[in-house]
Amino acid sequence: MKKTITIASLALVLSNAVFAQRPQSAQGGNSQRGATPAAANAQAPKEEPTPRVNNNIASRNIVPESAVVTNHTVTINGKAVPYKATAGTLPVWDEEGKTLAGLFYTYYERTDVSNKDSRPLVISFNGGPGSASVWMHIAYTGPVVLNIDDEGYPVQPYGYKYNSTSILDVADIVYIDPVNTGYSRAVSKDVPTNKFFGVRADIKYLAEWINTFVTRTNRWASPKYLIGESYGTTRVSGLALELQSNHWMYLNGVVLVSPTELGIERGGVMDAALRLPYFAATAWYHKALPADLQSKKLTDMLPEVETFTINELMPAMARGGFISADEKKKMAAKMARFSGLPEKVILQNNLNISTNLFWKELLRDKGFTVGRLDSRYKGIDKSDAGDRPDYNAELTSWLHSFTPAINMYLRNELNYKTDLKYNMFGPVNPWDRTGDNTGENLRAAMAQNPYLHVLVQSGYYDGACDYFNAKYNMWQMDPSGKLKDRMSWEGYESGHMMYLRKVDLALGNDHIREFIKKSTPKQGQSAKF
């Protein structure tokens, strides 16, 4: 992979610019993109010191404006794609123009494109709230991916490698870390946290920041897309209307990866019943279903469970304690058949099985729990007794591989050096969850903007933001049915971060690539119904 270092000069930091030697090739698992493992492990020749604009090197204080620019080439689907990476910070201002915080971002631009006006821009967030953008950045859409096995489990040496499936061939991408995540921080402890930590506050300040970024990078003419994962789907759904209403910035698409409930009301009965298809998918994966169901493909088995859930289970649960004993037993027997749980346990819980109990109970007799965000992962508890797992097996595994890689990548590959700790998860509590009407916000934005399309991506084994609830979101967002032609859903045989599975990494990026091409209008195509 070809790599050169250039300077992105910013007035705030010019006077404090420092010099650092260009990093040598990362060793171990850190393959240079486009290089063979042997070449990647070889030590790079010593070079002369290269100037860089970033005065954070001996400080844990945020610098609201900083930037380091590097040039690279990655091969995507067999074709070389040259690009420029900018790692840096831009400020968040209050209403009087006072700097409140500096947000860290990483911006990738393809450099062999002459007309940026028609080049799509993807603006990417992860969730939490309180999570950095690291997950999709170095494991999904960006030019590098983790050094992990084909199913997403950690391997050593830790590191990263080129991403031959990245969407950088069709769109430029900026990954943004909200306040207290990644390297982003408030400038002072005196800055009120309610400026950032809440559904509405988060949407408001990030929309202002996006406005600044788009203006600074001269991308107003570009087709624009938001992509969010987990709580990031709450964020981008709200941002779609906020950007449109208060910044007059109209989007072409929103991608929801493992979406939350988006403020859409479920209620106790609905919430309980909607879990069953996820239970069935997980039980199928762990071979806990009856032979006739187990012998089917996952996607052939699930429609039967979904139909039962809507047509039989929901009406039965709605009657609560007034259901007959015979019908209650019939429902429990069917739930046991589809979930892999004992009928006795289902009856003991009045047909309402919590996700915590399911994760603990499904493999209890084998001495394992199953993961929350990805139920393919198994955990080991101190005791087999109890009604919930001791820990989330999948999250521990992911932090195992992500944390070394992002710290190595930003310092060694993008040459952004700071003594700030990169917060995989940062302190953002208490988080004000009032005013979450983000599903309706996204619907309103679509109704007002004929260009705006939505793509939903879900992993069948995600127990936190499950696939059937994601479908339910779409059904409830558009009760008129007039927007459904601009909404699509895709499912993957993996979990919350479905892209960690090698097959789904390629498939998911292909779906985003197709979505961008489909929703980018042809020159002269009018925005009208």
Side-chain angles (χ1 to χ4, degrees):
M1 180 197 72
K2 182 180 178 184
K3 173 181 172 183
T4 58
I5 306 292
T6 60
I7 301 296
S9 299
L10 291 167
L12 183 62
V13 294
L14 272 174
S15 61
N16 293 313
V18 296
F19 291 82
Q21 183 172 321
R22 176 183 168 185
Q24 297 173 342
S25 300
Q27 299 186 32
N30 290 354
S31 302
Q32 288 185 336
R33 295 184 290 260
T36 64
N41 290 340
Q43 189 169 358
K46 185 176 180 180
E47 299 184 9
E48 293 301 315
T50 304
R52 59 178 185 76
V53 180
N54 175 13
N55 70 347
N56 290 352
I57 193 159
S59 172
R60 283 201 164 191
N61 296 321
I62 184 69
V63 175
E65 295 195 38
S66 65
V68 179
V69 177
T70 52
N71 287 287
H72 314 257
T73 299
V74 61
T75 300
I76 300 173
N77 292 328
K79 295 182 180 179
V81 176
Y83 66 96
K84 177 174 68 174
T86 303
T89 52
L90 279 178
V92 175
W93 292 293
D94 67 8
E95 293 79 1
E96 284 74 42
K98 180 182 177 182
T99 300
L100 298 178
L103 290 198
F104 182 76
Y105 68 94
T106 311
Y107 177 37
Y108 298 101
E109 303 170 82
R110 185 166 179 167
T111 53
D112 61 350
V113 175
S114 57
N115 182 11
K116 286 296 178 86
D117 288 353
S118 59
R119 171 82 169 161
L121 172 66
V122 174
I123 302 165
S124 183
F125 293 97
N126 272 96
S131 174
S133 66
V134 54
W135 314 100
M136 290 196 291
H137 182 181
I138 63 168
Y140 193 11
T141 51
V144 300
V145 289
L146 289 176
N147 184 33
I148 50 181
D149 76 8
D150 288 354
E151 292 297 316
Y153 289 87
V155 296
Q156 289 185 325
Y158 299 116
Y160 49 89
K161 53 192 175 184
Y162 71 91
N163 184 5
S164 61
T165 73
S166 171
I167 63 171
L168 191 56
D169 58 334
V170 298
D172 295 337
I173 319 166
V174 58
Y175 299 90
I176 302 166
D177 291 336
V179 171
N180 273 6
T181 74
Y183 292 141
S184 300
R185 303 287 191 277
V187 296
S188 166
K189 292 181 180 179
D190 296 330
V191 177
T193 58
N194 63 9
K195 294 286 187 181
F196 314 116
F197 302 155
V199 175
R200 292 300 308 147
D202 181 73
I203 290 167
K204 182 179 179 181
Y205 90 83
L206 288 173
E208 291 281 353
W209 190 95
I210 290 170
N211 188 313
T212 300
F213 176 84
V214 168
T215 301
R216 291 275 190 103
T217 55
N218 196 26
R219 299 305 298 264
W220 274 98
S222 300
K224 298 173 193 66
Y225 294 80
L226 297 177
I227 180 171
E229 180 180 43
S230 194
Y231 185 84
T233 61
T234 300
R235 178 175 285 137
V236 300
S237 295
L239 278 169
L241 186 62
E242 179 73 14
L243 287 168
Q244 189 169 298
S245 299
N246 294 319
H247 298 270
W248 312 285
M249 185 182 295
Y250 288 76
L251 303 172
N252 288 74
V254 174
V255 182
L256 306 177
V257 180
S258 305
T260 64
E261 295 179 350
L262 304 181
I264 296 170
E265 183 63 38
R266 265 100 170 136
V269 168
M270 193 70 68
D271 189 41
L274 287 169
R275 301 174 195 140
L276 184 62
Y278 153 70
F279 291 167
T282 299
W284 181 91
Y285 177 82
H286 289 288
K287 296 180 171 54
L289 294 181
D292 63 315
L293 295 176
Q294 200 66 58
S295 64
K296 295 181 180 181
K297 290 175 57 178
L298 176 66
T299 50
D300 291 337
M301 179 272 294
L302 286 175
E304 181 181 349
V305 187
E306 294 175 8
T307 300
F308 166 74
T309 299
I310 295 171
N311 294 342
E312 298 183 53
L313 182 58
M314 285 182 182
M317 294 187 73
R319 298 201 301 276
F322 286 79
I323 189 174
S324 71
D326 287 345
E327 190 173 359
K328 186 173 185 179
K329 183 171 176 57
K330 178 184 175 182
M331 289 296 108
K334 285 194 174 183
M335 288 181 69
R337 169 175 162 78
F338 290 136
S339 68
L341 299 183
E343 182 180 333
K344 179 180 179 181
V345 171
I346 295 171
L347 286 170
Q348 287 172 341
N349 287 274
N350 299 316
L351 310 183
N352 187 348
I353 303 297
S354 71
T355 48
N356 275 314
L357 179 57
F358 176 77
W359 300 324
K360 183 74 175 184
E361 182 67 36
L362 182 66
L363 301 180
R364 192 192 297 267
D365 61 343
K366 295 180 174 63
F368 293 108
T369 62
V370 298
R372 171 178 175 262
L373 295 166
D374 191 330
S375 295
R376 297 175 301 156
Y377 289 72
K378 293 187 288 188
I380 299 175
D381 280 359
K382 183 177 181 180
S383 171
D384 290 338
D387 60 2
R388 61 188 304 147
D390 291 349
Y391 65 99
N392 295 331
E394 77 296 328
L395 188 55
T396 298
S397 175
W398 296 341
L399 289 167
H400 195 162
S401 51
F402 273 91
T403 310
I406 189 63
N407 280 279
M408 295 157 66
Y409 175 64
L410 293 176
R411 294 183 68 85
N412 300 342
E413 190 79 12
L414 300 191
N415 208 36
Y416 193 90
K417 293 181 171 64
T418 175
D419 284 332
L420 280 170
K421 181 173 75 171
Y422 189 89
N423 282 343
M424 303 293 286
F425 296 99
V428 299
N429 290 316
W431 188 270
D432 183 0
R433 294 183 180 271
T434 58
D436 181 358
N437 202 26
T438 50
E440 170 59 19
N441 293 158
L442 182 54
R443 185 211 62 79
M446 291 183 72
Q448 297 168 29
N449 177 7
Y451 279 152
L452 182 54
H453 292 67
V454 170
L455 169 65
V456 181
Q457 296 184 309
S458 297
Y460 290 113
Y461 307 128
D462 180 1
C465 300
D466 71 83
Y467 88 92
F468 200 53
N469 267 283
K471 288 185 176 182
Y472 184 80
N473 278 348
M474 294 172 62
W475 302 336
Q476 301 307 309
M477 267 179 55
D478 181 29
S480 72
K482 296 175 182 177
L483 306 177
K484 63 184 179 183
D485 290 343
R486 288 187 280 142
M487 302 173 76
S488 57
W489 179 90
E490 299 288 350
Y492 307 88
E493 292 190 32
S494 43
H496 194 73
M497 292 194 282
M498 72 282 174
Y499 43 82
L500 294 184
R501 183 171 177 253
K502 186 177 180 180
V503 170
D504 292 323
L505 170 66
L507 186 60
N509 273 323
D510 280 346
H511 287 152
I512 296 175
R513 188 177 286 107
E514 292 162 7
F515 175 72
I516 290 172
K517 290 178 179 178
K518 177 183 176 181
S519 55
T520 300
K522 296 178 181 178
Q523 186 172 0
Q525 181 180 339
S526 300
K528 62 182 180 181
F529 294 116

